[in-house]
Amino acid sequence: MVVTPPPVGLGYLSHAVKNARGDEVLIVDGRRFRLSDETIVQKAEDFSPDAIGVTAMTFEASEAASLISRLKQKWPEIPVILGGPHATGFGPSLLETVDADFLAVGEGEDTLIELLNVLENGGDRSNIKGIAWRDVEGEVVFNGSRESVVDMESLEIDWEGIAPENYFGMWTRNAMNTVARSARRLPVFTSRGCPYGCAYCHHIFGRKYRAFDTGRIVAEMIFLRDRYGVREFEIIDDTFNLQLGRAKNVMQEIIAQKLGCSLTFTNGLRADRMDEELLDLMVRAGTYRIDYAIESASRRIQKLVHKNLDLDRAREVVNMTADRRIVTGTYNMLGFPGETEDEMAKTIDFAVSLKNHIASFFYLMPFPGTELADSDPAVSEKVRRLDFGDASGIALNLSAAPDDVLKRMRRSGYRRFYSSPRRMARILRDAPRNPRLLASALAAVRLSFQESVNY
């Protein structure tokens, strides 16, 4: 089952355009509703737009290109703007193969407003930072990167335009969390940006860390609780606990305001940026799941990819999180450049040795725009020709092991991790007991013997 969270990125853009220009905006979520190109085009025709924006993850790149071609065939005169993670990662050269008129790179709120103003009123598009476009000779022009949004309080989500009710349902994968206390859950950002330079990671929000006001964050949660009956929030910051004191303040405000909702942190917190006080506050605030991004237990690879995680501290934090009966997960990757079978085994051994309830073993994906993809010209050229449509498979094996060994090690990781009776007892004791837990357990068992599952 494809994860289909509410499109909060489009919600931010919709609010920005409505607030700055007073435009009408229609958000169409083709992923959530499995809409065909023809259906989306029909919805657009009914709305009669002056401009159309398309966003896509890298694994949706081919679908986005197909949709854009269909839109341009229908309305050659209507400007189509492609943005989002794939556009930002791949960069301006994407316009050489996609029919979009403009590419929006990085955070798009201010970029979109300026572009729409120029398209409506005339002006020099070459002054708009953050866009790529074609000149009269068809050559791609990039105006340079835009600085990160500084006025964080100007950013809001158009929840009415998103219509959260369409995403509630116990069997709808509307969150990264594979277990759930409530079907009425929504994602929330409390900050943007991450200063760490992990070589495999995107930098859609840049490396400058910027946080929303603590009171404003909790006020938004209260609004969503009262307006839509939300009972659970998934905090999806790049690095929520980067500033330990600020993270504690957020939890203290949630406690003080008696939010009364469950919280999950499934985007992968830094294990070496945690302490017992924050964990205790998170429990009091309603947290029942935390995931930590470990990636590799090889110190060589930790240094190679600039993760530089303190593995000894990570072990302590994972275990003390699990000791609080928080459902604790770890994210692990296999297939780093030059990684040997022995180094993969270290990562699996490390994951199995911890008290965590959940472990995920991913193949490294050298996405366009990451350091791993761009540092080697030969790798970069291969990456730009890849079809990332199968997000669970081996897109490009950069390790020292052949594909069959890499696959065998991943299956071994799942088999060893979930074959522990003691771990199974902890899962049954601490995880929410509902149909989602059973589906997740069956998926973990199947991953011990096959490449991918939908759940």
Side-chain angles (χ1 to χ4, degrees), residues 358-370:
I358 298 169
S360 298
F361 298 93
F362 300 105
Y363 296 127
L364 172 72
M365 289 284 190
F367 287 118
T370 62

Side-chain angles (χ1 to χ4, degrees), residues 230-406:
V230 175
R231 303 305 305 157
E232 180 172 320
F233 292 99
E234 185 171 58
I235 311 300
I236 55 174
D237 299 20
D238 284 340
T239 315
F240 170 78
N241 60 332
L242 176 69
Q243 296 178 351
L244 204 57
R246 186 249 177 194
K248 293 175 183 178
N249 288 340
V250 173
M251 294 299 105
Q252 288 166 338
E253 182 68 8
I254 288 173
I255 295 166
Q257 295 300 325
K258 297 181 171 60
L259 179 65
C261 296
S262 298
L263 304 176
T264 65
F265 295 80
T266 52
N267 208 30
L269 300 186
R270 287 281 307 199
D272 51 5
R273 298 294 305 165
M274 293 290 285
D275 66 12
E276 293 194 67
E277 182 185 8
L278 176 55
L279 276 172
D280 289 337
L281 286 169
M282 293 172 88
V283 171
R284 289 178 58 199
T287 301
Y288 75 91
R289 177 167 179 178
I290 295 176
D291 289 85
Y292 294 104
I294 304 298
E295 318 309 7
S296 175
S298 162
R299 298 185 189 280
R300 181 190 74 83
I301 290 175
Q302 285 282 337
K303 183 176 180 180
L304 173 71
V305 300
H306 317 311
K307 177 78 176 184
N308 296 319
L309 182 68
D310 183 335
L311 291 169
D312 294 330
R313 179 58 180 164
R315 178 184 296 279
E316 293 175 7
V317 168
V318 169
N319 288 342
M320 71 184 187
T321 302
D323 284 342
R324 285 161 172 76
R325 299 185 64 171
I326 296 171
V327 178
T328 308
T330 61
Y331 295 139
N332 311 276
M333 285 194 206
L334 304 174
F336 286 101
E339 185 177 19
T340 65
E341 185 175 347
D342 285 345
E343 287 175 317
M344 295 178 201
K346 280 185 180 179
T347 297
I348 294 170
D349 289 344
F350 187 80
V352 170
S353 72
L354 303 174
K355 294 181 180 179
N356 49 315
H357 304 71
I358 298 169
S360 298
F361 298 93
F362 300 105
Y363 296 127
L364 172 72
M365 289 284 190
F367 287 118
T370 62
E371 182 182 326
L372 281 182
D374 293 346
S375 59
D376 184 326
V379 172
S380 180
E381 182 61 27
K382 290 179 182 178
V383 165
R384 289 174 178 271
R385 295 198 304 266
L386 287 175
D387 179 4
F388 287 90
D390 180 8
S392 62
I394 300 174
L396 180 63
N397 186 356
L398 302 178
S399 77
D403 285 5
D404 61 331
V405 171
L406 186 52

Side-chain angles (χ1 to χ4, degrees), residues 94-114:
L94 187 58
L95 283 184
E96 296 172 1
T97 56
V98 176
D99 292 334
D101 299 287
F102 300 94
L103 204 70
V105 177
E107 292 175 299
E109 290 86 3
D110 293 336
T111 301
L112 182 58
I113 291 167
E114 290 184 23

